[in-house]
């Protein structure tokens, strides 16, 4: 299947690591560019002139894309990049909103989870506002979000560490809709004291931590 332009822009962003460079790399009138799965699997954040994949470099050049300036990373030696996830704790009458993940999801298929997403090049609250609207049609204001719990987790040895941020929404507009049925097959409010058995483990841990007044949890780390 030919990738959509939005998918392509997202893929190239992973290779370039600079959102502003997309306007230079993918001009709306530029020729089409097709990427193979092996060219995007495990992609890292690189500026175009540091892309080492011969096929990707050839396709970028053949499509008429000129190199962009190199941005030197300022990550201190010995540090490890983290994936940042944002999560919505939406409570109503003592119940919390959970979505059932599609059975074919690569992660936690068929399990219940709060509305969540991964940060792109954006503030965490802006990401959650965007994800809430894209996934469920909910309208949030960044000023109505309060950080109530953080989970610092690693799933398994060698896996990228993750920072999972849980935000409570004081106000919102709309009723949850199934806008991405390939990801979420149902929305349901659950009694916060009677959560489903099939819930993502760190989500349960976070909700229990919020109820207990704990602001932080570590999971998966060897001490």
């Amino acid at each position: 299947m030919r990738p959509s332009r939005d998918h392509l822009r997202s893929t190239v962003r992973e290779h370039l690591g600079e959102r502003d460079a997309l306007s230079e790399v993918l001009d709306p009138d530029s020729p089409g560019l097709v990427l193979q799965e092996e060219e995007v699997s495990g992609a890292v954040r690189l500026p175009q002139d540091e892309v080492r994949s011969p096929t990707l470099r050839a396709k970028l050049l053949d499509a008429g894309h000129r190199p962009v300036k190199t941005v030197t990373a300022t990550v201190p030696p010995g540090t490890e990049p983290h994936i940042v996830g944002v999560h919505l704790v939406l409570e109503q009458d003592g119940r919390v909103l959970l979505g059932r993940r599609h059975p074919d999801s690569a992660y936690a298929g068929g399990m219940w989870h709060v509305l969540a997403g991964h940060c792109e090049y954006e503030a965490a609250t802006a990401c959650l506002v965007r994800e809430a609207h894209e996934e469920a049609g909910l309208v949030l204001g960044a000023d109505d979000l309060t950080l109530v719990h953080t989970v610092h987790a690693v799933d398994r040895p060698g896996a990228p560490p993750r920072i999972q941020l849980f935000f409570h929404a004081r106000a919102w507009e709309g009723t949850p809709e199934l806008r991405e049925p390939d990801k979420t097959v149902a929305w349901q409010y659950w009694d916060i004291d009677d959560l489903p058995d099939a819930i993502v483990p760190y989500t349960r841990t976070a909700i229990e931590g919020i109820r207990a007044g704990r602001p932080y949890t570590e999971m998966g780390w060897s001490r």
Side-chain angles (χ1 to χ4, degrees):
M1 181 182 296
R2 182 185 181 90
S4 68
R5 179 167 292 273
D6 287 343
H7 172 74
L8 179 58
R9 294 172 75 89
S10 175
T11 299
V12 173
R13 181 184 302 124
E14 290 185 310
H15 280 277
L16 298 181
E18 186 179 18
R19 181 183 290 266
D20 293 341
L22 291 175
S23 60
E24 298 182 50
V25 176
L26 289 180
D27 184 270
D29 298 324
S30 65
L33 179 66
V34 180
L35 300 179
Q36 303 300 319
E37 176 63 27
E38 61 270 19
E39 295 173 318
V40 301
S41 180
V44 296
R45 297 183 179 276
L46 292 174
Q48 182 181 345
D49 57 0
E50 291 185 14
V51 172
R52 294 292 179 256
S53 168
T55 50
L56 177 57
R57 287 185 63 83
K59 287 178 180 180
L60 287 169
L61 294 174
D62 289 345
H65 305 305
R66 64 185 185 277
V68 298
K69 64 180 181 179
T70 299
V71 179
T72 303
T74 58
V75 178
T79 59
E80 182 71 25
H82 283 51
I83 297 171
V84 178
V86 294
H87 303 71
L88 178 62
V89 181
L90 202 65
E91 293 186 65
Q92 191 174 67
D93 300 326
R95 299 177 298 160
V96 62
L97 180 68
L98 299 177
R100 187 176 183 187
R101 296 178 59 81
H102 193 284
D104 295 333
S105 296
Y107 173 73
M111 301 188 76
W112 292 89
H113 192 29
V114 292
L115 189 153
H118 293 124
C119 283
E120 299 180 7
Y121 194 84
E122 59 193 335
T125 53
C127 175
L128 191 53
V129 168
R130 173 178 59 79
E131 291 284 358
H133 189 261
E134 291 176 356
E135 293 189 16
L138 299 174
V139 178
L140 304 177
D143 292 341
D144 290 321
L145 298 174
T146 301
L147 181 65
V148 289
H149 199 80
T150 300
V151 177
H152 188 199
V154 62
D155 294 334
R156 61 188 182 280
R162 298 172 182 267
I163 299 289
Q164 310 286 23
L165 305 175
F166 286 76
F167 292 89
H168 180 266
R170 290 187 296 272
W172 68 92
E173 295 180 8
T175 301
E177 305 170 9
L178 292 174
R179 288 199 167 188
E180 294 182 336
D182 58 322
K183 297 180 180 179
T184 304
V185 298
W187 292 112
Q188 182 177 330
Y189 281 96
W190 289 81
D191 189 319
I192 204 164
D193 292 319
D194 188 23
L195 299 174
D197 292 333
I199 188 172
V200 172
Y202 79 82
T203 300
R204 179 187 296 278
T205 297
I207 293 175
E208 290 175 348
I210 295 168
R211 296 283 284 168
R214 295 192 305 269
Y216 177 73
T217 299
E218 292 178 352
M219 298 182 68
W221 296 99
S222 59
R223 295 182 179 275

